[in-house]
Amino acid sequence: MSEQPSTAEFAEEVEKYLSAHYSLKKKEAKQQFVWGEGSDEVRVFQEPDPEAEEDALPAIRAWRKGLWDAGLGWITGPTEFGGRGLSGAHQRTFEQIARRYDVPGDSALTIGLGMIAPTILKHGTDQQKNKYLRGMYSGELFACQLFSEPGAGSDLASVSTKAVRDGDNWVLNGQKVWTSGAHLSDFGEIICKTSDAGRHQNLTAFLIDMHAPGVEVRPLRQMTGGAAFNEVFLNDVVVPDTDRLAEEGEGWKVAITTLMNERNAMGNSSFGGAGILSTERIAELVRHSGLADDPVVRQEFAALQVRLRVARYTNQVFAAKAKAGESPGPVASINKIALSTNMAELGRFVADVLGPRIAANTGEWGTFAWTSVLLGAPGYRLGGGTDEILKNMVAQRVLGLPRAS
Amino acid sequence: MVAQSALTDNDEQRELRDAVRKLLKDKAPLEKIRAGADEPDGPRFDRALWGNLAEMGLLALAVPEKYDGLGQTMVETSVVFEELGRGLYFGPFLATAGLAVPALLGSADEAAIADYLPGIASGETIATVAVTEEDGRFDTASTATTAEADGDGWKLTGTKMVVLDGADADLLLVTARSGEDVSLFAVAGDASGLTRTRLESLDLARSLARVELNGTPARLVGQSGAAPALIAEVLDHALVAVAAEQAGGAQVCLDMSVEYAKTRKQFDKVIGSYQAVAHKLVDMLQQVEFSKASARYAAAAIAEGDAEAPVAARVAAAYCGEAFRKVTVETVQAHGGIGFTWEHDTHLYYRRAWSSQHLFAGLADHHAAIADRIGL
């Protein structure tokens, strides 16, 4: 095995690859917010129109394929499964450099690379790791997470989708819901009930081919009006036993791995490129509403800034702690709770500033578009574990309190 | 961007933290604060403990090396304040290190700095800054205390309200007006025409005084008319120090509440098993973690001269003040009846929280400053 490159050498390698294939981001176009210019969309959930979404796929696949072939597709992954075997510092080096380039990026792959890949790495067989992890990091395979059901939300362990053994195969029947990206996915991680054993003992995880006969994906329209999620119906879907993830009856353990990664991914996100937390955009809204000199609005504006900035500072402090090798502690879960609270407060503030312009679309730029925040905020309190479930978890695991009664 | 290395303790900072924590644990049990409050003349700070702080170099921490100091940054200072906040330290550290040192350094008056800072660094000189008057504001907008030229020096006349450790300070840095100019003046604790009255304090671990000046001799510190900008800068420093104190105090309250919720049984179950209690404790945990992080961030931003520092200072002040107050309110609630007794420590922190949130500037002030500084 060859010597590991230093982060400086690695940075040079990354720079060389990215500059050969992508152009640098145009600086001013990204930073400057100019009132009335361009789209006034305020994006809370990824709700692209299906055609635009399909159109974006080839570029994302090509981005991943290129990285994979250049040895940059899975920087921290074990070498025996095609990874580069480098450190988290190398990964961060890559991310820092990639941010300067106009690349498709991995934001559409958060569930696959951020949640499902770590789960397969932890629980999968070598054969599964070779097949799925290579496929995911090289852009050939997109993945989704099939956990929630109409009857199993916060109480995920009560899923009723059944998997019944049939020789070397399993036959799956049931319904999943709130499945992001199911319509674009090649496979999914699914939790099924496989026995009548006790709670948490009766579940098994599988990797299911989303193109298999009997899998039906329907878009699920949420209260914002858009459709960021799907319902997935399973009707006698055959899954080979080689695609069972971990042992029979260990599905709960597998699900917990994925959920922990989900909270990390959500808690650490700061709305990515959605731009809704841009101070300047909120300040401009206040100015254009003629309220910049209103002392009450100024107070409320500052109170909102305190919330948003404290969350940001805390993220930075915990990133520093993680880098220094200190345990990140409870930050992922409490950040996620803060995120949903802040989102609701942001909605309240902009609605107060907009007044009747939040009630009706007057056609004025940058006004009614904010409805997506107040319509989307409730979803943030529910997704990735409701605020209440997360508080139960933190109470038990961080504060060491007994299980809630 | 604040450097990541400034946001988390290095080995020296961890040692400093542990040493301060141990010192207070050994020498400053909270029982002393309660006992002091029952003394006929009210509580007094422990001079021997002050000597211990000085021996540890805490007073020299932020003093530059050329004035016999250790030349450390706001980050180390903040580590100390967080620990002092945990232990509810009672003594003139905030006044001396949190107000007077930044005021002297900010004045850029080399002669005054050389005269006063070494004494402060050694722990010999207890110092404070006296700004607040009738309007209750820690600024110079309506300073009424007057300064009159008197030979080579000045004479001050006026009244300063709620001066932190004003009754114990050997050196008082006082704002006073001469015509349009508001300037900073040094007044010796034993100067003539100086009357200092210790006031009853909501926070039993803080000493506050009324300071009356009547033709009191004084020395100009820094440029004439420089006080408005200087005091604004001192206020930011002090607020970040207080934010760290608040974060440390909030952590203790959380720990105390969690411990109680694990042992106190009602209806045959420990109360921490009830969601109504458990969720309250998680809310407190969030406030504690966010307080510690934002206080640290603000200190690091000041230490590095980061562009975010002026906003971060007020964000930390606003957040930590409110968080500490809420955490102490819920700490009393989590403890039930026992938490409402004089004998329990809850009220010591509760008093500190309310007092420290209003000592220099309140939430509305912070919000106004944040909106201004962001440029709305």
Side-chain angles (χ1 to χ4, degrees):
Chain A
M1 214 165 88
S2 61
E3 280 275 297
Q4 288 212 344
S6 69
T7 48
E9 289 163 349
F10 185 66
E12 210 172 298
E13 176 188 337
V14 171
E15 195 81 54
K16 196 172 157 198
Y17 175 80
L18 290 176
S19 61
H21 295 84
Y22 296 95
S23 53
L24 284 166
K25 270 182 195 158
K26 287 190 201 80
K27 263 234 168 82
E28 59 279 87
K30 188 180 148 276
Q31 285 299 331
Q32 204 75 23
F33 173 79
V34 180
W35 184 267
E37 277 186 17
S39 164
D40 69 348
E41 187 189 8
V42 182
R43 223 172 43 189
V44 175
F45 289 104
Q46 303 279 341
E47 297 171 344
D49 80 83
E51 273 178 41
E53 197 175 31
E54 286 282 347
D55 291 350
L57 285 187
I60 296 172
R61 288 192 195 273
W63 146 254
R64 277 271 131 216
K65 175 82 166 63
L67 290 178
W68 183 263
D69 291 343
L72 299 170
W74 191 14
I75 293 161
T76 58
T79 48
E80 65 261 47
F81 304 115
R84 184 76 180 270
L86 298 178
S87 69
H90 290 88
Q91 175 69 33
R92 284 188 292 274
T93 300
F94 173 85
E95 285 164 10
Q96 269 166 17
I97 296 170
R99 236 172 288 174
R100 303 204 324 270
Y101 285 89
D102 194 11
V103 299
D106 293 331
S107 62
L109 305 173
T110 305
I111 292 173
L113 300 185
M115 293 154 55
I116 297 178
T119 307
I120 296 175
L121 185 63
K122 181 162 181 192
H123 299 287
T125 61
D126 283 0
Q127 187 201 347
Q128 287 164 350
K129 289 178 194 170
N130 271 315
K131 174 177 168 190
Y132 292 105
L133 293 178
R134 279 172 200 276
M136 290 167 89
Y137 284 101
S138 66
E140 281 161 45
L141 297 176
F142 285 7
C144 61
Q145 174 210 28
L146 300 138
F147 282 15
S148 295
E149 295 183 5
S154 290
D155 181 12
L156 183 61
S158 70
V159 295
S160 61
T161 292
K162 273 204 167 65
V164 176
R165 199 186 255 281
D166 180 20
D168 288 340
N169 294 321
W170 294 80
V171 179
L172 276 53
N173 280 286
Q175 183 193 346
K176 294 287 177 179
V177 74
W178 301 115
T179 318
S180 316
H183 56 304
L184 305 171
S185 293
D186 301 294
F187 78 98
E189 177 192 343
I190 187 167
I191 305 295
C192 299
K193 191 173 172 190
T194 49
S195 82
D196 292 325
R199 196 177 158 79
H200 296 162
Q201 317 292 317
N202 55 349
L203 306 175
T204 305
F206 299 92
L207 299 172
I208 178 178
D209 179 356
M210 294 298 287
H211 309 300
V215 177
E216 189 195 342
V217 176
R218 293 185 204 159
L220 175 62
R221 204 169 173 200
Q222 70 269 3
M223 64 182 265
T224 57
F229 306 93
N230 299 281
E231 293 177 289
V232 178
F233 296 86
L234 304 153
N235 193 1
D236 286 335
V237 180
V238 174
V239 175
D241 190 52
T242 49
D243 281 337
R244 171 172 44 75
L245 194 52
E247 295 304 316
E248 193 178 334
E250 290 186 346
W252 184 247
K253 206 170 71 183
V254 176
I256 292 293
T257 303
T258 309
L259 292 175
M260 292 310 286
N261 282 299
E262 175 172 22
R263 271 147 214 158
N264 277 322
M266 281 189 82
N268 291 334
S269 77
S270 47
F271 290 117
I276 59 170
L277 296 188
S278 147
T279 302
E280 198 42 33
R281 179 156 188 180
I282 301 168
E284 277 289 83
L285 174 68
V286 174
R287 289 186 198 110
H288 280 266
S289 304
L291 294 168
D293 295 324
D294 182 317
V296 175
V297 172
R298 292 177 73 81
Q299 287 280 317
E300 294 281 321
F301 169 82
L304 180 66
Q305 289 301 322
V306 169
R307 291 178 162 281
L308 302 179
R309 277 167 206 254
V310 165
R312 200 180 81 208
Y313 300 164
T314 305
N315 258 330
Q316 291 187 27
V317 168
F318 277 83
K321 286 189 178 195
K323 197 180 171 193
E326 288 177 49
S327 137
V331 77
S333 291
I334 63 175
N335 266 3
K336 197 259 157 181
I337 295 169
L339 186 71
S340 54
T341 313
N342 290 349
M343 184 77 127
E345 287 298 310
L346 174 65
R348 196 177 64 81
F349 177 76
V350 295
D352 283 351
V353 168
L354 287 166
R357 291 174 300 171
I358 198 78
N361 189 350
T362 60
E364 188 183 345
W365 190 94
T367 59
F368 194 69
W370 284 101
T371 51
S372 66
V373 174
L374 48 106
L375 288 170
Y380 270 78
R381 300 185 64 195
L382 300 168
T386 63
D387 285 3
E388 290 77 10
I389 288 290
L390 291 184
K391 285 184 183 181
N392 283 351
M393 255 183 44
V394 173
Q396 288 161 41
R397 301 205 187 137
V398 181
L399 298 179
L401 296 172
R403 205 181 167 75
S405 49
Chain B
M1 267 298 263
V2 174
Q4 277 197 325
S5 57
L7 295 177
T8 175
D9 282 1
N10 59 29
D11 289 344
E12 290 79 19
Q13 288 160 358
R14 235 187 315 270
E15 277 171 32
L16 176 66
R17 183 183 292 285
D18 292 346
V20 177
R21 190 176 299 185
K22 184 170 182 312
L23 178 70
L24 293 189
K25 189 164 174 281
D26 294 346
K27 305 255 168 119
L30 295 181
E31 191 46 49
K32 281 192 177 176
I33 296 172
R34 239 187 312 269
D38 285 334
E39 290 292 319
D41 298 337
R44 296 287 187 276
F45 76 96
D46 179 347
R47 293 222 172 231
L49 180 58
W50 179 255
N52 295 138
L53 298 187
E55 281 159 28
M56 281 178 66
L58 301 189
L59 288 152
L61 213 56
V63 174
E65 287 167 7
K66 68 172 176 172
Y67 304 112
D68 304 337
L70 299 170
Q72 300 288 300
T73 72
M74 189 67 199
V75 172
E76 286 75 20
T77 304
S78 164
V79 165
V80 173
F81 275 109
E82 191 181 326
E83 291 306 316
L84 297 180
R86 279 184 68 103
L88 278 182
Y89 169 68
F90 180 23
F93 192 84
L94 177 60
T96 305
L99 291 174
V101 170
L104 280 169
L105 288 174
S107 77
D109 183 331
E110 287 296 328
I113 292 172
D115 285 348
Y116 298 126
L117 268 190
I120 287 176
S122 71
E124 202 176 300
T125 307
I126 290 168
T128 191
V129 175
V131 175
T132 308
E133 296 187 1
E134 203 50 43
D135 67 350
R137 297 185 56 82
F138 198 91
D139 63 27
T140 56
S142 52
T143 299
T145 298
T146 56
E148 243 184 295
D150 178 45
D152 284 348
W154 296 77
K155 275 189 187 309
L156 307 189
T157 299
T159 301
K160 296 289 178 181
M161 295 219 321
V162 287
V163 178
L164 188 58
D165 296 301
D168 298 306
D170 306 304
L171 169 69
L172 295 97
L173 297 165
V174 181
T175 49
R177 179 183 298 275
S178 163
E180 287 299 297
D181 286 346
V182 180
S183 316
L184 191 68
F185 297 88
V187 172
D190 57 2
S192 61
L194 184 68
T195 312
R196 309 190 282 177
T197 314
R198 209 178 290 272
L199 304 173
E200 189 181 356
S201 171
L202 168 63
D203 181 349
L204 302 178
R206 258 302 189 231
S207 176
L208 300 164
R210 183 190 302 118
V211 173
E212 287 157 290
L213 305 117
N214 191 359
T216 306
R219 165 183 176 175
L220 177 66
V221 174
Q223 296 286 321
S224 189
L230 174 60
I231 291 303
E233 195 187 311
V234 169
L235 177 59
D236 275 7
H237 273 79
L239 289 171
V240 172
V242 169
E245 269 192 3
Q246 289 164 329
Q251 175 78 64
V252 173
C253 290
L254 170 68
D255 293 347
M256 210 154 67
S257 302
V258 169
E259 199 45 46
Y260 190 70
K262 284 179 185 172
T263 50
R264 168 73 172 174
K265 278 191 178 174
Q266 288 290 272
F267 306 103
D268 294 329
K269 285 180 187 153
V270 294
I271 60 171
S273 69
Y274 298 110
Q275 282 186 331
V277 176
H279 286 193
K280 193 193 291 293
L281 295 171
V282 173
D283 291 341
M284 290 161 70
L285 170 73
Q286 183 185 62
Q287 288 163 345
V288 167
E289 292 292 342
F290 282 25
S291 291
K292 288 194 295 188
S294 56
R296 176 63 176 238
Y297 188 93
I302 288 179
E304 302 204 337
D306 190 85
E308 178 78 2
V311 174
R314 290 308 190 105
V315 165
Y319 188 85
C320 296
E322 189 65 356
F324 188 27
R325 191 185 61 76
K326 286 184 192 159
V327 165
T328 60
V329 166
E330 295 304 342
T331 296
V332 176
Q333 183 71 9
H335 282 79
I338 191 85
F340 191 62
T341 62
W342 177 261
E343 297 310 321
H344 207 279
D345 293 340
T346 46
H347 73 100
L348 302 179
Y349 287 92
Y350 183 91
R351 288 164 175 272
R352 165 63 61 88
W354 286 86
S355 168
S356 71
Q357 195 180 14
H358 297 284
L359 202 50
F360 300 124
L363 192 56
D365 276 311
H366 303 323
H367 285 165
I370 289 165
D372 288 347
R373 292 171 187 193
I374 285 177
L376 178 64

